[in-house]
Structure formats: structure tokens, C-alpha cells
Amino acid sequence: MPYTSVLERASADTATRVVDLLVLWQRPDTRQIVPIGRFGFNGVEYTFSYTRTATELSSFRTLPGLGGLFDRYQSTTMPAVFSQRVMSDQRPDYSSYLHSLGLERATPWEQIVYSGGPRAGDTLQFMQMPVVSEGTATAQFLVNGISHIPDGLLRLDDRTVQVTRPQLDGALAGVQKFQSVRLAREIDNPEDPHAVLVMDGTVPLGWVPRVLSQGVRQLMDAGLAEAVVDNLGSVGASDHERLTLTIRTSAPEGFSFDPDGRWDPAFRG
């Protein structure tokens, strides 16, 4: 049975337009999530290149089948290390898996775009490449750290908040597709000095990914206050797959999500 897309989204043809994903890796020593690769698909060919960041990480080892740090993968076949994250449409639980992502059917590429490509015990995930084009900054991402929200006090600009897991689950259950959610600066986060919380009213739901937080803070300084819910995983989905947001806002002159070029491909062909 061929894969057929019938996705309905805030931007209905998003997955067909996504041509570049940032591959993120969690460092085993610090647990920090860093961008180590660029994974692309133009509808015909898959490509992969390591980033400049990957070349400077002494603890990082190259991924199986993708060559050296300065090589480039190019093929009509998805790399095995990534295709292992795609569920076959022949599996009996295929439909329930897609339902947990808020999908009906999906191509292998779309599965990775919308799931973030996690595997149990794995240290890789994927995020759509944020872009700045014609004065507009756009980023789509899975809300991070949902399971850690009830761990303790969270300090915002104007108050301190603490929620229980039942309060968090209640707030997540009430979130609607296409709804706006508020962005709030978190103060004194020991893991991320630029931490940005995602809020439903007064309830924190999770965090903007650290790889984006500094850029999002800059956009907030320029007036950004909200993100839009682009997709909802089902109640049975893992916390990592519960909530996908999109930020689309005017960008200050000269703004970049990656001003130092840390996401640039190491390959120079």
C-alpha cells in the first residue's frame, strides 16, 4: 500500500514544503541538545551533512552510514539510521501511531517532520529548519520538557508559578489546534539562560527548544508575544509529541536564528 498524505494543518501543505531539518543530538556528558546535522529531502533525493558544531564536539561520533564529518550523503533512499524511525504502513499499530501524532496518513518524510523522529533510548531528534525570509522569521517546533514542568518552582518576570501533573494534563487537554499560546521569559533557569516558557493562560506547558531560545528572546524583545498551535498529538502520545507550535513574526533587521553559523554544513563541495 503506497503512502498517501491527507494532512490537515495550520499550513496544509507544510510537510511538502519542508526541505531541511536540523538534526539535534543530546550530549551524554552535559545533556545539552546541540545541532549536529542537516537532513534534507526535495521530493526525490535525501541529503545529509554534519554541521560546524558537530566538527567541534570531541564526544560526538559520526552516525552509521553517513560518512565522515566533512562528507555529504545524497541518495534517493533515506539513510537507514533515519528510516529506522519511520513506522511501516503494514504494521497493525500504524493507524494508532499516526493518530497519536494527529495524522491520518503520512509519507516517511512527513512522519519524521511531525514526530521529531524519536526512538526509545535514543539521543537524536529533528526540528524543521527555522528561516528568515523577506523580513519574516518562521520556526516550527515541538514543545520541549513537558514532563519536567511539575518538577518545581518556575520563576517568570512578574511571579513564581508551580503546577501539579494533573493541572498540567488538564491544561494540555484543553489546548486547541490553531489557538495562540503565550511566550514568557523564565528567570534563572540553570540549564538555559535564555529559557522561554510556553504558557496556556497562567499554566506553563513546556519550553521553547534551547537551540531556538536565544533567537526567540530577541524576537520577544522586538514584540513577539505568542505562538500558534500547529498540531496536537493525541492524549496517548508521549509528552515529546504532544504539542507542535509555529512562530511567524516580523524579524528585526539583521536577525538570524543562527548568527554564528553553528548550523552551517561542514561539507564544502
Side-chain angles (χ1 to χ4, degrees):
M1 170 179 161
Y3 290 92
T4 305
S5 172
V6 290
L7 306 180
E8 295 179 359
R9 303 230 169 260
S11 49
D13 59 344
T14 298
T16 59
R17 296 200 314 268
V18 174
V19 297
D20 204 6
L21 298 176
L22 198 58
V23 182
L24 307 174
W25 174 68
Q26 187 173 51
R27 296 181 56 165
D29 49 353
T30 65
R31 311 299 292 171
Q32 182 181 359
I33 295 175
V34 294
I36 57 89
R38 303 272 295 263
F39 179 36
F41 180 56
N42 63 7
V44 178
E45 287 189 323
Y46 295 94
T47 59
F48 176 83
S49 298
Y50 290 102
T51 60
R52 283 179 51 201
T53 295
T55 68
E56 299 169 2
L57 294 171
S58 60
S59 58
F60 178 69
R61 299 293 178 265
T62 56
L63 303 176
L66 292 177
L69 287 169
F70 298 95
D71 293 333
R72 184 173 188 262
Y73 176 95
Q74 185 172 357
S75 174
T76 56
T77 302
M78 183 182 289
V81 68
F82 298 153
S83 64
Q84 293 167 359
R85 300 156 197 281
V86 174
M87 181 176 286
S88 168
D89 61 357
Q90 301 302 308
R91 281 185 47 165
D93 53 347
Y94 174 74
S95 294
S96 60
Y97 170 67
L98 292 190
H99 178 69
S100 75
L101 300 177
L103 309 178
E104 293 181 26
R105 297 185 186 275
T107 65
W109 177 250
E110 288 166 341
Q111 282 193 47
I112 288 180
V113 167
Y114 290 113
S115 72
R119 294 183 70 197
D122 186 271
T123 57
L124 293 178
Q125 58 183 269
F126 300 80
M127 183 179 72
Q128 293 185 32
M129 182 64 64
V131 296
V132 181
S133 177
E134 299 181 350
T136 299
T138 304
Q140 186 180 77
F141 54 89
L142 288 156
V143 175
N144 282 190
I146 291 174
S147 63
H148 296 292
I149 286 293
D151 285 352
L153 293 172
L154 301 170
R155 184 181 170 201
L156 309 181
D157 279 330
D158 55 351
R159 65 189 186 281
T160 299
V161 297
Q162 185 171 22
V163 298
T164 64
R165 183 71 211 206
Q167 289 172 323
L168 173 61
D169 286 339
L172 287 168
V175 173
Q176 301 294 313
K177 196 171 178 179
F178 310 144
Q179 158 187 342
S180 293
V181 289
R182 188 166 63 87
L183 302 174
R185 297 170 182 83
E186 185 189 6
I187 310 302
D188 297 333
N189 183 307
E191 304 297 330
D192 181 2
H194 308 289
V196 177
L197 282 162
V198 175
M199 308 284 293
D200 180 35
T202 61
V203 179
L205 304 177
W207 285 269
V208 171
R210 182 173 178 174
V211 72
L212 291 177
S213 62
Q214 185 171 3
V216 171
R217 283 267 191 131
Q218 294 175 25
L219 294 174
M220 292 171 70
D221 291 342
L224 174 68
E226 296 179 333
V228 174
V229 177
D230 186 63
N231 191 49
L232 294 167
S234 70
V235 175
S238 68
D239 282 338
H240 175 74
E241 299 165 341
R242 287 292 295 274
L243 193 57
T244 304
L245 303 184
T246 295
I247 288 171
R248 186 172 291 109
T249 187
S250 296
E253 185 175 354
F255 172 80
S256 172
F257 284 104
D258 179 34
D260 299 322
R262 312 305 300 165
W263 308 348
D264 288 350
F267 170 80
R268 290 290 181 265

